[in-house]
Amino acid sequence: MFYHKTEEQKLKNRKLKKWIAAFAAAILLAGCAAERPQKTDLAKAGQTEAAQAGNTGSLTQEAADAADSVLPAFADDFYEAVNHERLKEWEIPSHMSEISWFSLLDEERYKRIDEEIRAAASEKELSEGSDAWNVAAFYLTGLDKEARNKGGLGEAAGSYVKAVDAAGSVSELLELSIRFQREYSIYSLGAFSYSADYEDSSKKILYALGADTGLAKEIWFSDEEQNQEMVNAYIDYLRKLHVQAGAAEEEAEKIVERVTGMMRALAEASLSIEERYDAKNTYHVYQVSELPDFLLNGLVSEQLLKELYGTDSDESVIIEDIELAQCVSEWLKEENLSLLKEYVKSCLYSDTAAYRELEAQEALQEYLSQIRGIEIVDFERYISESVQETLDFQCGRLFCDKYFSEESKREVEELVGEVISTYDKRIAALTWMSEDTKAEARKKLAAVKVSVGYPDKWPQDRYALSLVYPQDGGLYMDNFFRHLKARQDFLYSTKDEPVDKAEWITAPQLINAYYDPSSNSITLLAGILQGAFYSPNASAEEKLGGIGMVIAHEITHAFDTNGSQYDENGNLRNWWTEEDLKNFEALAAQVERYYSGMELDGRQIDGKLTLTENIADLGALACISQIAQEKGYDLKAMYCAYANIWAEKVREEYMAYLLVTDVHSPGKIRVNAVLSALHAFYDTFDVKEGDKMYQKPENRPKIW
């Protein structure tokens, strides 16, 4: 994955979905390839800690402002030398937590799709069930304040809450929650979902997913003041939702105290983010006929799995998080029935706040505003954003039909072929890997599937969806649940079909790219094929430092500490010799140590959390450097193009969150740390010992 996902997206659609996005203008690199500037005496020039940071990480808004007057040399702080003027000019918009080429491009994407939504909403004759129809119906019901306030939880969720309140036992409550998750994908105590089997990626298998912890483990137990403020804001948010649902203030406080106590216990038992990146930690196979008692306290029967998911007794279930499952079971006791009901309703209230009464939506907006230090957007924009997030592929087709070029697709596909060819040569030349393992690696590389722009088969064409307009009695909340149910029904109706490895998991308008180990494929979304990342009119160096780096980054994910566990068919299989695997693990450990020695405004980077993405960055820049050298490109211009795409200013609140939850390093580190590890950079910019970008040769990590 090339970029991180916003907290808004995680909150509004964190259930069983798999990144944020952004806008850029064309980049001018003429000054970048000029003569090496005179080195600045930082001790005499202001001495701010941020300005002297060298390769210490992305600047927060405050640190960047403090460093405005300092222009370091390329050899001291390449990121700042390239982006200095831009960072001086940029101010974070009030409704955003950062400003970067990603966020700017994302803003442009929002505006374009917003225009399409408004146009559809004003159209009188649309084909029922079409993308435009559903987008318009959803948008108009979202704007209908009176109906939303009157309709409340809507039909499905309203009936669910009544059933939860009436449940006479823990087993009855658990079955209700699992049935609701099967129908609508919104979960609390537990969840099941079909996905590709790690060991045979051509087949689907049922996964038992964990319970809802409210916030991530890394946030609940963070020592950072900003993250503890996020915890407090979340508690207050849940309190408001319970008051809105009818509880008195004092009662709501007590409910939330009990519920968040349970959530903290669940989070503490759960796998960490970095642990989830290792497939061995999440692949625990059990027969349906022999499900362990620690899974939901033994209260899930073969009959229920058969009825809801069509799972036979001789089939397998994968339990993703053993310790979390054990912890959930400890709570599933009759003496906790009242608390469990409060917990189940808390999860529902939070997951649906954006679509219900205006008071619930406003509570969510206030919470997001607090935790990210942003201003609340106006009502119509918020509804448009919610429509774009929820009906992501419907909006994506409207976007791609108008804004994506087939010529760009062909050129990018050619560049992908060039990167793969160069990568193959690099693997063949490795000195730490045996010929047997090289053959396996090259076989995997040759089998990588590539998708560019948008899907050949749109997901929404595979199931029927027809949302209801306000004048026909449509309610925003009910339309939301119609959408969820249509997708869930399709998921389970196709459970016995072979895995469709061409199926997209991310909407094409987002500014991102990703590697999927289960299909051994890379996907380059239409959203990222523009602006600073790619322009048909850009120079070869700009294309290589922009979209070329993105391509090589995703290909390297096939060989990071997670992707390397899968073979050319996307199956979990050890294709390494014992000695080569030890060599790889030792090199990965060097990468982890290298990044763990870096700081951002006094906060240490977590080299373990960011390991896979750091390996992808290191491998990618080495690959495109070789391409540039073989073709005689200007390395200075290419490295400047690379540094440019990571220019960013980030609010303190959001940076504190990212440093403990994001598997990507901050932007400045993605520039300086990678370049400081690359031998070609030293020759290109005459970097010598004593320069702040300098790393001793033995300290420069290199794998691919």
Side-chain angles (χ1 to χ4, degrees):
M1 198 69 72
F2 198 64
Y3 198 52
H4 58 80
K5 197 172 185 182
T6 62
E7 179 65 10
E8 289 100 320
Q9 288 172 315
K10 290 177 181 176
L11 272 166
K12 290 190 285 185
N13 208 8
R14 68 181 178 219
K15 307 304 183 190
L16 313 180
K17 277 192 74 177
K18 292 188 174 181
W19 285 125
I20 107 177
F23 167 64
I27 54 175
L28 301 175
L29 297 174
C32 236
E35 292 184 10
R36 186 168 180 260
Q38 293 295 311
K39 294 174 68 174
T40 304
D41 186 344
L42 296 179
K44 296 179 180 178
Q47 302 179 324
T48 68
E49 181 179 347
Q52 296 182 43
N55 59 355
T56 59
S58 278
L59 294 183
T60 60
Q61 174 76 63
E62 291 80 359
D65 291 342
D68 272 352
S69 61
V70 180
L71 178 60
F74 291 143
D76 281 333
D77 185 342
F78 194 80
Y79 171 90
E80 180 68 20
V82 172
N83 295 309
H84 185 81
E85 291 302 316
R86 182 172 296 111
L87 294 174
K88 281 176 61 177
E89 295 170 1
W90 274 355
E91 295 293 337
I92 303 177
S94 61
H95 66 286
M96 296 165 66
S97 59
E98 66 170 309
I99 184 170
S100 64
W101 293 122
F102 288 90
S103 65
L104 292 171
L105 193 51
D106 192 48
E107 181 70 8
E108 182 69 9
R109 184 269 314 159
Y110 159 76
K111 291 177 180 177
R112 287 173 168 177
I113 298 179
D114 181 63
E115 289 180 2
E116 299 302 309
I117 291 172
R118 291 172 183 270
S122 63
E123 180 63 51
K124 299 301 181 185
E125 303 204 5
L126 293 172
S127 175
E128 183 172 355
S130 66
D131 290 341
W133 170 285
N134 286 323
V135 164
F138 199 45
Y139 178 68
L140 291 171
T141 53
L143 294 178
D144 192 343
K145 297 180 180 180
E146 182 178 353
R148 288 177 60 182
N149 285 333
K150 183 178 179 180
L153 284 165
E155 183 178 353
S159 298
Y160 177 52
V161 167
K162 290 178 181 178
V164 166
D165 286 336
S169 66
V170 169
S171 60
E172 184 181 352
L173 176 64
L174 179 62
E175 182 173 333
L176 281 169
S177 71
I178 292 176
R179 286 184 180 277
F180 192 72
Q181 181 269 325
R182 159 59 184 87
E183 290 293 301
Y184 304 109
S185 81
I186 294 176
Y187 73 96
S188 53
L189 292 168
F192 293 87
S193 181
Y194 274 98
S195 190
D197 187 348
Y198 285 5
E199 292 189 344
D200 184 355
S201 61
S202 67
K203 298 179 180 178
K204 297 173 186 175
I205 193 169
L206 192 66
Y207 284 80
L209 311 177
D212 191 342
T213 62
L215 296 173
K217 178 179 188 174
E218 289 75 9
I219 297 299
W220 278 120
F221 301 103
S222 173
D223 294 329
E224 284 284 346
E225 180 182 350
Q226 289 91 341
N227 289 331
Q228 282 308 304
E229 289 176 358
M230 179 184 289
V231 170
N232 294 333
Y234 179 68
I235 291 171
D236 189 53
Y237 164 59
L238 290 184
R239 180 192 59 77
K240 290 177 181 177
L241 293 181
H242 278 279
V243 170
Q244 189 270 330
E249 284 280 354
E250 186 176 349
E251 179 189 8
E253 288 182 9
K254 291 179 179 179
I255 290 172
V256 173
E257 183 179 0
R258 291 190 292 267
V259 168
T260 54
M262 177 178 168
M263 286 178 168
R264 287 176 68 92
L266 295 175
E268 188 172 20
S270 68
L271 292 170
S272 66
I273 293 172
E274 55 263 34
E275 286 170 337
R276 289 181 179 279
Y277 265 68
D278 187 340
K280 295 188 294 292
N281 295 329
T282 59
Y283 191 75
H284 310 285
V285 186
Y286 295 86
Q287 290 295 111
V288 170
S289 59
E290 300 176 354
L291 287 178
D293 287 341
F294 67 74
L295 178 63
L296 299 172
N297 205 24
L299 298 175
V300 177
S301 66
E302 292 181 39
Q303 181 181 352
L304 183 63
L305 292 180
K306 175 70 174 177
E307 178 186 348
L308 296 183
Y309 307 102
T311 309
D312 293 325
S313 60
D314 60 348
E315 292 185 46
S316 297
V317 173
I318 309 302
I319 300 178
E320 286 201 323
D321 192 331
I322 295 292
E323 290 191 18
L324 176 56
Q326 292 171 336
C327 185
V328 172
S329 288
E330 292 172 5
W331 287 90
L332 294 176
K333 306 292 175 59
E334 293 303 324
E335 60 265 29
N336 293 329
L337 180 59
S338 178
L339 165 61
L340 294 172
K341 290 181 179 182
E342 294 168 348
Y343 164 81
V344 167
K345 289 189 289 185
S346 294
C347 295
L348 175 70
Y349 294 160
S350 179
D351 292 337
T352 59
Y355 309 96
R356 296 198 337 258
E357 303 96 328
L358 271 294
E359 191 175 347
Q361 176 187 305
E362 288 163 2
L364 174 59
Q365 288 184 273
E366 288 169 4
Y367 168 56
L368 295 174
S369 174
Q370 282 181 271
I371 67 174
R372 302 195 62 202
I374 60 176
E375 290 186 5
I376 295 175
V377 298
D378 66 64
F379 178 72
E380 289 193 9
R381 176 175 179 128
Y382 187 78
I383 299 305
S384 180
E385 288 176 344
S386 295
V387 171
Q388 294 185 36
E389 167 66 18
T390 306
L391 300 184
D392 49 0
F393 279 98
Q394 286 85 351
C395 290
R397 182 151 55 184
L398 297 178
F399 175 86
C400 290
D401 284 349
K402 191 167 185 178
Y403 296 107
F404 183 66
S405 161
E406 289 300 313
E407 291 76 13
S408 296
K409 179 175 182 176
R410 285 192 290 271
E411 183 179 31
V412 171
E413 287 173 339
E414 290 176 5
L415 184 53
V416 172
E418 192 170 5
V419 170
I420 290 177
S421 176
T422 302
Y423 225 104
D424 184 68
K425 290 186 288 185
R426 293 186 63 79
I427 292 175
L430 290 174
T431 58
W432 59 269
M433 183 183 281
S434 70
E435 292 303 316
D436 287 345
T437 305
K438 284 181 184 179
E440 290 281 355
R442 295 175 73 184
K443 180 168 64 173
K444 179 174 183 178
L445 180 67
V448 170
K449 294 174 281 295
V450 180
S451 297
V452 177
Y454 57 86
D456 293 329
K457 295 184 295 185
W458 290 86
Q460 65 268 35
D461 290 343
R462 304 183 69 183
Y463 57 82
L465 178 66
S466 182
L467 301 185
V468 183
Y469 278 75
Q471 59 267 32
D472 298 320
L475 180 68
Y476 197 37
M477 185 73 162
D478 288 343
N479 275 337
F480 174 54
F481 274 81
R482 285 187 182 93
H483 166 67
L484 294 178
K485 188 174 187 336
R487 292 174 68 142
Q488 284 291 94
D489 287 348
F490 171 73
L491 172 66
Y492 292 107
S493 70
T494 59
K495 79 173 190 67
D496 294 322
E497 296 179 8
V499 172
D500 182 0
K501 296 192 177 185
E503 183 178 2
W504 283 38
I505 59 175
T506 305
Q509 70 272 26
L510 300 184
I511 294 73
N512 219 327
Y514 62 88
Y515 172 75
D516 182 358
S518 68
S519 59
N520 190 28
S521 65
I522 66 168
T523 301
L524 304 164
L525 307 178
I528 205 169
L529 300 179
Q530 53 189 315
F533 301 97
Y534 170 78
S535 168
N537 301 320
S539 68
E541 289 86 354
E542 290 168 342
K543 290 176 182 175
L544 197 56
I547 199 63
M549 178 66 189
V550 175
I551 294 165
H553 174 99
E554 299 310 330
I555 289 173
T556 308
H557 273 312
F559 305 102
D560 66 24
T561 49
N562 178 51
S564 62
Q565 298 180 52
Y566 297 80
D567 65 15
E568 73 278 6
N569 296 314
N571 296 330
L572 188 64
R573 177 176 71 85
N574 182 13
W575 45 269
W576 298 73
T577 66
E578 185 177 351
E579 183 178 357
D580 289 338
L581 185 56
K582 288 181 179 178
N583 289 338
F584 175 67
E585 289 172 344
L587 292 169
Q590 184 186 13
V591 174
E592 181 180 332
R593 289 192 301 271
Y594 178 71
Y595 281 87
S596 292
M598 299 177 184
E599 293 183 347
L600 168 66
D601 298 340
R603 300 186 182 103
Q604 189 167 340
I605 301 302
D606 189 336
K608 185 176 183 180
L609 173 67
T610 57
L611 179 59
T612 57
E613 297 297 334
N614 294 334
I615 290 174
D617 282 345
L618 290 165
L621 200 60
C623 179
I624 65 170
S625 292
Q626 180 170 332
I627 294 174
Q629 289 170 315
E630 290 177 350
K631 289 182 168 285
Y633 292 162
D634 184 345
L635 278 174
K636 288 184 178 180
M638 188 192 74
Y639 291 146
C640 286
Y642 169 65
N644 170 77
I645 65 175
W646 290 112
E648 63 179 12
K649 282 185 177 181
V650 185
R651 294 190 190 279
E652 286 280 359
E653 299 90 338
Y654 192 44
M655 182 58 76
Y657 168 79
L658 292 176
L659 285 172
V660 297
T661 62
D662 191 6
V663 294
H664 304 80
S665 293
K668 187 174 181 180
I669 284 182
R670 298 188 76 166
V671 175
N672 287 355
V674 179
L675 287 170
S676 290
L678 193 67
H679 298 319
F681 171 70
Y682 288 77
D683 295 333
T684 303
F685 285 95
D686 191 25
V687 180
K688 296 181 174 62
E689 191 166 2
D691 294 332
K692 293 182 183 296
M693 290 287 294
Y694 181 84
Q695 291 279 348
K696 293 180 180 180
E698 62 268 26
N699 293 337
R700 302 170 194 170
K702 177 184 177 183
I703 301 183
W704 302 107

